Amino acid sequence: GSDMPFNVHKHLLDPYKAPDIPVGHRKFEEGDHKPYTSQFANTTIESRKEVEQWTEPVVAGWIAALEEGKFEMYCIMFMDHEVDGKILLRLTEDNLNEIGVQSCGERMKLMDHIQLLQRRCNKPETAQLSVPGWATCLIRMVDFGWADTSEAKDGHDMKEELVHANTSIALVSTLTWAIAWELFFSSSSQCFCHNASTECVCSTSWDMKGRPLSVFYSFAGIASVSFMFSTVYSVLQNIMVFEMSDENEVLEFFALVKADSQLPGIYLFFGLGSFCVPVVVYVVYNANMGLVPGPATAEQ
């Protein structure tokens, strides 16, 4: 008959016994989860939106369905702590200890199931992860897919990861853009004439002429544009995520852009590949020191 608030935590000393909460203070009862348990039998949950709509009894029903009811003893604890679907996707091992799962082994096993659910909901494609072949590895290296490592991370961690990656990409892209632009801009021929004389001295840029110089010029320009796009996309993505203070906004952003979040890295790799072409062309066709003698008319 006391009006003092009931302290749930002091009744959680025994992890195998539900807290004896007075009827007036209890929001849920022991069997409230049972109608929902059967729906999770032999079912794989991968939809984040579906999980976020789970109520406390539904979450408890999912807990009860794990390993043929091995964790059903904790269902009332989850309901008393008002763990719904949104909280379940953010739950940590420390939270399980606060809820009352005090057995270390039970806590770690239950946490494995929860983390698997979190990973599938945050990134559904991880449910089909497999060891890729060499051809797939080569493709993923080019399309920057290897940098996509946001499995089982919350919105804050994904935002921090994107900002750090884009900052590094923008720095590298800016430096290489300056070099590529110099190669591109200096590819034209220049002539110097004396005012008092009709004689002019002309120089062939980079000691090359003809097709080698055309290839050099074209790929230097492609590399410059690629590096520029990489820098611009990196900065724009950082600006967008910096404006997002809510975790749901960040998760929605990643859901919308999906693989496009890797565009800065893709442009960087494409620029680096293009940048290698004028370097190789210069080494091979340079008139003075190239592996293949350049045009005889090339002068410096």
Side-chain angles (χ1 to χ4, degrees):
S2 173
D3 293 331
M4 296 295 292
F6 183 76
N7 188 350
V8 175
H9 293 281
K10 71 179 182 179
H11 289 266
L12 297 180
L13 298 178
D14 184 359
Y16 300 100
K17 180 182 178 182
D20 186 18
I21 303 178
V23 176
H25 294 277
R26 169 169 284 171
K27 184 177 179 180
F28 302 100
E29 298 300 328
E30 285 277 358
D32 287 352
H33 67 279
K34 292 186 180 295
Y36 306 98
T37 303
S38 60
Q39 74 184 55
F40 296 111
N42 301 320
T43 301
T44 301
I45 307 298
E46 297 181 358
S47 172
R48 181 182 183 89
K49 291 185 177 181
E50 177 185 349
V51 175
E52 288 180 340
Q53 295 174 357
W54 289 359
T55 60
E56 291 86 343
V58 177
V59 171
W62 178 78
I63 296 292
L66 297 174
E67 298 189 22
E68 299 180 353
K70 182 176 181 179
F71 306 104
E72 188 169 7
M73 66 188 76
Y74 304 118
C75 289
I76 188 61
M77 300 180 184
F78 274 78
M79 289 189 292
D80 285 336
H81 282 76
E82 300 184 2
V83 179
D84 58 14
K86 292 182 179 180
I87 294 178
L88 182 65
L89 292 177
R90 299 167 55 192
L91 212 64
T92 65
E93 189 171 341
D94 290 336
N95 296 143
L96 289 182
N97 190 36
E98 295 174 9
I99 289 173
V101 187
Q102 295 183 346
S103 171
C104 180
E106 295 284 326
R107 187 166 62 246
M108 293 180 68
K109 291 177 183 177
L110 181 55
M111 195 65 220
D112 287 341
H113 289 286
I114 294 175
Q115 286 180 338
L116 180 60
L117 176 69
Q118 293 171 343
R119 182 164 60 250
R120 283 174 172 167
C121 290
N122 287 334
K123 201 159 190 176
E125 58 267 27
T126 58
Q128 291 83 36
L129 284 179
S130 59
V131 178
W134 65 268
T136 304
C137 290
L138 182 62
I139 294 173
R140 295 200 67 188
M141 181 184 70
V142 175
D143 68 9
F144 220 63
W146 55 269
D148 197 3
T149 58
S150 300
E151 297 87 349
K153 294 181 179 179
D154 57 24
H156 174 76
D157 290 338
M158 295 171 71
K159 175 180 177 180
E160 185 177 1
E161 181 183 71
L162 180 70
V163 169
H164 285 310
N166 280 351
T167 302
S168 300
I169 290 173
L171 178 61
V172 174
S173 296
T174 303
L175 293 175
T176 49
W177 172 83
I179 300 174
W181 178 256
E182 175 62 23
L183 298 183
F184 173 72
F185 190 75
S186 303
S187 296
S188 61
S189 298
Q190 298 178 354
C191 293
F192 303 93
C193 301
H194 298 285
N195 293 332
S197 173
T198 58
E199 295 182 358
C200 295
V201 178
C202 296
S203 65
T204 302
S205 295
W206 302 105
D207 294 339
M208 291 181 291
K209 293 186 68 175
R211 181 169 297 178
L213 182 59
S214 299
V215 173
F216 182 96
Y217 172 83
S218 299
F219 278 91
I222 293 173
S224 299
V225 174
S226 298
F227 291 139
M228 181 182 65
F229 276 132
S230 177
T231 303
V232 171
Y233 272 110
S234 298
V235 174
L236 287 178
Q237 284 188 3
N238 280 1
I239 292 175
M240 285 188 288
V241 296
F242 269 130
E243 294 298 321
M244 301 175 187
S245 57
D246 184 76
E247 182 177 357
N248 290 330
E249 288 182 334
V250 178
L251 294 175
E252 189 67 24
F253 169 79
F254 278 94
L256 289 174
V257 299
K258 296 181 180 179
D260 289 343
S261 63
Q262 307 301 328
L263 274 178
I266 294 174
Y267 277 117
L268 174 60
F269 264 66
F270 186 74
L272 290 173
S274 301
F275 182 77
C276 291
V277 175
V279 173
V280 172
V281 169
Y282 178 79
V283 171
V284 174
Y285 292 104
N286 179 269
N288 297 322
M289 298 177 291
L291 300 178
V292 177
T297 56
E299 297 178 358
Q300 186 65 38

mmCIF file of all heavy atoms in Angstrom, residues 123 125-126 140 144-153 157-158 161-162 165 254 261-262:
data_model
loop_
_atom_site.group_PDB
_atom_site.id
_atom_site.type_symbol
_atom_site.label_atom_id
_atom_site.label_comp_id
_atom_site.label_asym_id
_atom_site.label_seq_id
_atom_site.Cartn_x
_atom_site.Cartn_y
_atom_site.Cartn_z
ATOM 1 N N LYS A 123 22.091 -3.310 -42.167
ATOM 2 C CA LYS A 123 22.656 -3.596 -43.482
ATOM 3 C C LYS A 123 22.211 -4.981 -43.922
ATOM 4 O O LYS A 123 22.894 -5.969 -43.707
ATOM 5 C CB LYS A 123 24.177 -3.518 -43.421
ATOM 6 C CG LYS A 123 24.799 -3.300 -44.775
ATOM 7 C CD LYS A 123 26.174 -2.725 -44.624
ATOM 8 C CE LYS A 123 26.659 -2.307 -45.988
ATOM 9 N NZ LYS A 123 27.939 -1.668 -45.933
ATOM 10 N N GLU A 125 22.159 -6.688 -46.609
ATOM 11 C CA GLU A 125 22.943 -7.510 -47.520
ATOM 12 C C GLU A 125 24.009 -8.331 -46.806
ATOM 13 O O GLU A 125 24.568 -9.268 -47.366
ATOM 14 C CB GLU A 125 23.607 -6.655 -48.609
ATOM 15 C CG GLU A 125 24.523 -5.562 -48.109
ATOM 16 C CD GLU A 125 23.787 -4.253 -47.954
ATOM 17 O OE1 GLU A 125 22.572 -4.289 -47.743
ATOM 18 O OE2 GLU A 125 24.442 -3.210 -48.056
ATOM 19 N N THR A 126 24.318 -7.990 -45.528
ATOM 20 C CA THR A 126 25.323 -8.761 -44.809
ATOM 21 C C THR A 126 24.842 -10.163 -44.482
ATOM 22 O O THR A 126 25.645 -11.010 -44.101
ATOM 23 C CB THR A 126 25.720 -8.058 -43.496
ATOM 24 O OG1 THR A 126 24.545 -7.883 -42.690
ATOM 25 C CG2 THR A 126 26.345 -6.716 -43.772
ATOM 26 N N ARG A 140 35.649 -5.025 -56.741
ATOM 27 C CA ARG A 140 35.336 -4.263 -55.538
ATOM 28 C C ARG A 140 36.447 -3.281 -55.190
ATOM 29 O O ARG A 140 36.197 -2.248 -54.573
ATOM 30 C CB ARG A 140 35.095 -5.209 -54.361
ATOM 31 C CG ARG A 140 33.870 -6.089 -54.526
ATOM 32 C CD ARG A 140 33.396 -6.632 -53.206
ATOM 33 N NE ARG A 140 32.887 -5.561 -52.362
ATOM 34 C CZ ARG A 140 32.554 -5.729 -51.092
ATOM 35 N NH1 ARG A 140 32.692 -6.920 -50.527
ATOM 36 N NH2 ARG A 140 32.099 -4.721 -50.375
ATOM 37 N N PHE A 144 35.444 0.695 -55.063
ATOM 38 C CA PHE A 144 35.560 1.163 -53.683
ATOM 39 C C PHE A 144 34.603 0.429 -52.731
ATOM 40 O O PHE A 144 34.308 0.895 -51.642
ATOM 41 C CB PHE A 144 35.303 2.671 -53.607
ATOM 42 C CG PHE A 144 36.214 3.390 -52.652
ATOM 43 C CD1 PHE A 144 37.578 3.422 -52.873
ATOM 44 C CD2 PHE A 144 35.711 4.035 -51.537
ATOM 45 C CE1 PHE A 144 38.430 4.092 -52.018
ATOM 46 C CE2 PHE A 144 36.550 4.703 -50.661
ATOM 47 C CZ PHE A 144 37.905 4.737 -50.899
ATOM 48 N N GLY A 145 34.131 -0.755 -53.139
ATOM 49 C CA GLY A 145 33.228 -1.520 -52.294
ATOM 50 C C GLY A 145 33.879 -2.038 -51.032
ATOM 51 O O GLY A 145 33.205 -2.273 -50.024
ATOM 52 N N TRP A 146 35.197 -2.213 -51.041
ATOM 53 C CA TRP A 146 35.892 -2.726 -49.862
ATOM 54 C C TRP A 146 35.847 -1.735 -48.704
ATOM 55 O O TRP A 146 36.061 -2.103 -47.542
ATOM 56 C CB TRP A 146 37.356 -3.016 -50.218
ATOM 57 C CG TRP A 146 38.081 -1.838 -50.802
ATOM 58 C CD1 TRP A 146 38.192 -1.518 -52.114
ATOM 59 C CD2 TRP A 146 38.772 -0.803 -50.097
ATOM 60 N NE1 TRP A 146 38.912 -0.358 -52.281
ATOM 61 C CE2 TRP A 146 39.282 0.101 -51.061
ATOM 62 C CE3 TRP A 146 39.012 -0.550 -48.754
ATOM 63 C CZ2 TRP A 146 40.010 1.225 -50.705
ATOM 64 C CZ3 TRP A 146 39.735 0.568 -48.405
ATOM 65 C CH2 TRP A 146 40.230 1.445 -49.370
ATOM 66 N N ALA A 147 35.565 -0.459 -49.008
ATOM 67 C CA ALA A 147 35.532 0.550 -47.946
ATOM 68 C C ALA A 147 34.179 0.632 -47.255
ATOM 69 O O ALA A 147 34.021 1.393 -46.301
ATOM 70 C CB ALA A 147 35.883 1.925 -48.523
ATOM 71 N N ASP A 148 33.216 -0.156 -47.718
ATOM 72 C CA ASP A 148 31.873 -0.120 -47.139
ATOM 73 C C ASP A 148 31.842 -1.030 -45.920
ATOM 74 O O ASP A 148 31.568 -2.220 -46.025
ATOM 75 C CB ASP A 148 30.854 -0.576 -48.188
ATOM 76 C CG ASP A 148 29.448 -0.171 -47.811
ATOM 77 O OD1 ASP A 148 29.292 0.503 -46.792
ATOM 78 O OD2 ASP A 148 28.516 -0.539 -48.545
ATOM 79 N N THR A 149 32.107 -0.492 -44.754
ATOM 80 C CA THR A 149 32.251 -1.297 -43.530
ATOM 81 C C THR A 149 31.353 -0.779 -42.430
ATOM 82 O O THR A 149 31.801 -0.546 -41.305
ATOM 83 C CB THR A 149 33.714 -1.274 -43.041
ATOM 84 O OG1 THR A 149 34.107 0.088 -42.809
ATOM 85 C CG2 THR A 149 34.636 -1.887 -44.065
ATOM 86 N N SER A 150 30.066 -0.598 -42.722
ATOM 87 C CA SER A 150 29.146 -0.017 -41.739
ATOM 88 C C SER A 150 28.250 -1.055 -41.077
ATOM 89 O O SER A 150 27.228 -0.724 -40.500
ATOM 90 C CB SER A 150 28.264 1.036 -42.424
ATOM 91 O OG SER A 150 29.063 2.053 -42.964
ATOM 92 N N GLU A 151 28.622 -2.345 -41.151
ATOM 93 C CA GLU A 151 27.780 -3.369 -40.582
ATOM 94 C C GLU A 151 27.629 -3.160 -39.082
ATOM 95 O O GLU A 151 28.591 -2.941 -38.354
ATOM 96 C CB GLU A 151 28.357 -4.773 -40.842
ATOM 97 C CG GLU A 151 28.447 -5.144 -42.319
ATOM 98 C CD GLU A 151 29.726 -4.702 -42.960
ATOM 99 O OE1 GLU A 151 30.463 -3.923 -42.316
ATOM 100 O OE2 GLU A 151 29.993 -5.112 -44.096
ATOM 101 N N ALA A 152 26.377 -3.291 -38.621
ATOM 102 C CA ALA A 152 26.042 -3.267 -37.192
ATOM 103 C C ALA A 152 26.475 -1.979 -36.498
ATOM 104 O O ALA A 152 26.720 -1.969 -35.299
ATOM 105 C CB ALA A 152 26.677 -4.474 -36.488
ATOM 106 N N LYS A 153 26.587 -0.889 -37.247
ATOM 107 C CA LYS A 153 26.943 0.390 -36.648
ATOM 108 C C LYS A 153 25.719 1.275 -36.557
ATOM 109 O O LYS A 153 24.837 1.219 -37.419
ATOM 110 C CB LYS A 153 28.034 1.082 -37.472
ATOM 111 C CG LYS A 153 29.366 0.338 -37.466
ATOM 112 C CD LYS A 153 30.412 1.080 -38.267
ATOM 113 C CE LYS A 153 31.746 0.341 -38.237
ATOM 114 N NZ LYS A 153 32.782 1.026 -39.024
ATOM 115 N N ASP A 157 28.038 6.299 -35.459
ATOM 116 C CA ASP A 157 29.279 5.685 -35.928
ATOM 117 C C ASP A 157 29.395 5.764 -37.450
ATOM 118 O O ASP A 157 30.483 5.994 -37.991
ATOM 119 C CB ASP A 157 29.350 4.229 -35.475
ATOM 120 C CG ASP A 157 29.553 4.107 -33.971
ATOM 121 O OD1 ASP A 157 30.050 5.080 -33.371
ATOM 122 O OD2 ASP A 157 29.214 3.051 -33.407
ATOM 123 N N MET A 158 28.264 5.558 -38.141
ATOM 124 C CA MET A 158 28.286 5.636 -39.604
ATOM 125 C C MET A 158 28.597 7.055 -40.074
ATOM 126 O O MET A 158 29.328 7.264 -41.043
ATOM 127 C CB MET A 158 26.943 5.172 -40.157
ATOM 128 C CG MET A 158 26.637 3.703 -39.897
ATOM 129 S SD MET A 158 24.944 3.232 -40.333
ATOM 130 C CE MET A 158 25.016 3.310 -42.117
ATOM 131 N N GLU A 161 32.329 7.663 -39.462
ATOM 132 C CA GLU A 161 33.122 6.929 -40.439
ATOM 133 C C GLU A 161 33.132 7.636 -41.792
ATOM 134 O O GLU A 161 34.180 7.772 -42.437
ATOM 135 C CB GLU A 161 32.557 5.515 -40.597
ATOM 136 C CG GLU A 161 33.325 4.651 -41.584
ATOM 137 C CD GLU A 161 32.688 3.292 -41.760
ATOM 138 O OE1 GLU A 161 31.596 3.232 -42.384
ATOM 139 O OE2 GLU A 161 33.244 2.298 -41.280
ATOM 140 N N LEU A 162 31.945 8.109 -42.219
ATOM 141 C CA LEU A 162 31.852 8.798 -43.505
ATOM 142 C C LEU A 162 32.649 10.091 -43.509
ATOM 143 O O LEU A 162 33.364 10.393 -44.474
ATOM 144 C CB LEU A 162 30.382 9.080 -43.830
ATOM 145 C CG LEU A 162 30.134 9.810 -45.152
ATOM 146 C CD1 LEU A 162 30.438 8.890 -46.329
ATOM 147 C CD2 LEU A 162 28.695 10.314 -45.244
ATOM 148 N N ALA A 165 36.448 9.343 -43.618
ATOM 149 C CA ALA A 165 36.848 8.817 -44.927
ATOM 150 C C ALA A 165 36.833 9.920 -45.980
ATOM 151 O O ALA A 165 37.787 10.063 -46.759
ATOM 152 C CB ALA A 165 35.923 7.671 -45.331
ATOM 153 N N PHE A 254 21.780 7.238 -45.412
ATOM 154 C CA PHE A 254 22.527 6.104 -45.942
ATOM 155 C C PHE A 254 21.622 5.145 -46.704
ATOM 156 O O PHE A 254 22.051 4.518 -47.675
ATOM 157 C CB PHE A 254 23.247 5.369 -44.812
ATOM 158 C CG PHE A 254 24.548 5.991 -44.416
ATOM 159 C CD1 PHE A 254 24.622 6.894 -43.379
ATOM 160 C CD2 PHE A 254 25.713 5.673 -45.090
ATOM 161 C CE1 PHE A 254 25.820 7.480 -43.015
ATOM 162 C CE2 PHE A 254 26.922 6.245 -44.741
ATOM 163 C CZ PHE A 254 26.975 7.156 -43.700
ATOM 164 N N SER A 261 27.277 6.606 -51.626
ATOM 165 C CA SER A 261 28.141 7.181 -50.594
ATOM 166 C C SER A 261 29.610 6.905 -50.888
ATOM 167 O O SER A 261 30.492 7.547 -50.325
ATOM 168 C CB SER A 261 27.768 6.628 -49.212
ATOM 169 O OG SER A 261 27.984 5.226 -49.160
ATOM 170 N N GLN A 262 29.875 5.932 -51.788
ATOM 171 C CA GLN A 262 31.260 5.602 -52.140
ATOM 172 C C GLN A 262 31.751 6.374 -53.367
ATOM 173 O O GLN A 262 32.871 6.144 -53.832
ATOM 174 C CB GLN A 262 31.378 4.093 -52.424
ATOM 175 C CG GLN A 262 30.848 3.199 -51.331
ATOM 176 C CD GLN A 262 31.543 3.411 -50.020
ATOM 177 O OE1 GLN A 262 32.729 3.743 -49.989
ATOM 178 N NE2 GLN A 262 30.839 3.223 -48.922
#
